[in-house]
Amino acid sequence: MSNTGRWTLVLLLFVAGVSTVTAPLLAHHSFAATYLEADTIEIEGNVSQFEFKNPHSWIYVAGQENFGPLKTYAAEWASTSRLDRDGIDKTTIHVGDNVRIWASPNRDPNDNRIRLKRIERRADGWKWGAGRGETR
C-alpha cells in the first residue's frame, strides 16, 4: 500500500470514528428549537393521559391557560430514567388527577405541545420541579 493510500485509510477511519461518536448527540433535539424556554405559562386542569416512556414522558392535561378556552395540552417531560431518579414511576400520575403545571409554550401558538417545568397536585401536596429534579 502506498503512503498516500495509508493516509487516506487513516483519514477515513478517523472520520468514521468521529461520526460514530457525534451522531447520537446530533440526533437529540434541543428543547429551545420547539419551545420558548424563556417564557412560562401556567395551566390548571385534569390529567387525561400519562405516558411514562422514552425518550420523553408526556402528560396530557385538559385545562385552561389564563381563563382561556378549555383544551388539551400535551406536556413533554423527562425520560423515564430521569424521572425514576426523582422517585417518579408510571403510577405517580393518574388519569383524573387535578394538577397545576408551569411550562414553556410552543413556538407555534397553534400547537398545544408544551415543555413541563413544574407540576403540583393539590390533593396531596405532591410537587416536582421547584428545583431541578426536586420532588416533595
Side-chain angles (χ1 to χ4, degrees):
M1 181 179 275
S2 71
N3 210 19
T4 303
R6 283 188 195 118
W7 281 110
T8 302
L9 180 61
V10 168
L11 180 62
L12 286 173
L13 289 173
F14 176 76
V15 169
V18 169
S19 296
T20 301
V21 170
T22 59
L25 297 174
L26 296 174
H28 194 85
H29 67 276
S30 166
F31 282 127
T34 305
Y35 306 105
L36 297 169
E37 288 295 299
D39 295 346
T40 301
I41 59 173
E42 184 179 332
I43 297 161
E44 185 164 354
N46 294 327
V47 174
S48 58
Q49 185 177 352
F50 176 42
E51 295 178 352
F52 188 75
K53 65 179 190 173
N54 286 314
H56 299 129
S57 294
W58 290 84
I59 296 178
Y60 298 84
V61 177
Q64 297 172 291
E65 174 197 355
N66 299 327
F67 305 104
L70 186 65
K71 58 184 171 181
T72 299
Y73 293 87
E76 188 171 5
W77 205 352
S79 67
T80 58
S81 59
R82 161 74 193 287
L83 293 176
D84 186 55
R85 284 192 303 268
D86 293 340
I88 297 167
D89 63 24
K90 63 183 178 183
T91 65
T92 303
I93 304 289
H94 303 95
V95 170
D97 282 351
N98 183 268
V99 295
R100 187 154 87 194
I101 60 175
W102 291 261
S104 297
N106 200 294
R107 289 186 174 279
D108 177 355
N110 297 314
D111 192 336
N112 291 350
R113 289 178 300 155
I114 55 180
R115 187 178 82 74
L116 188 74
K117 293 180 176 180
R118 182 176 175 190
I119 183 170
E120 294 181 356
R121 184 175 49 221
R122 291 185 189 182
D124 61 0
W126 177 84
K127 298 177 182 183
W128 178 91
R132 186 158 174 84
E134 180 181 335
T135 306
R136 293 184 252 166

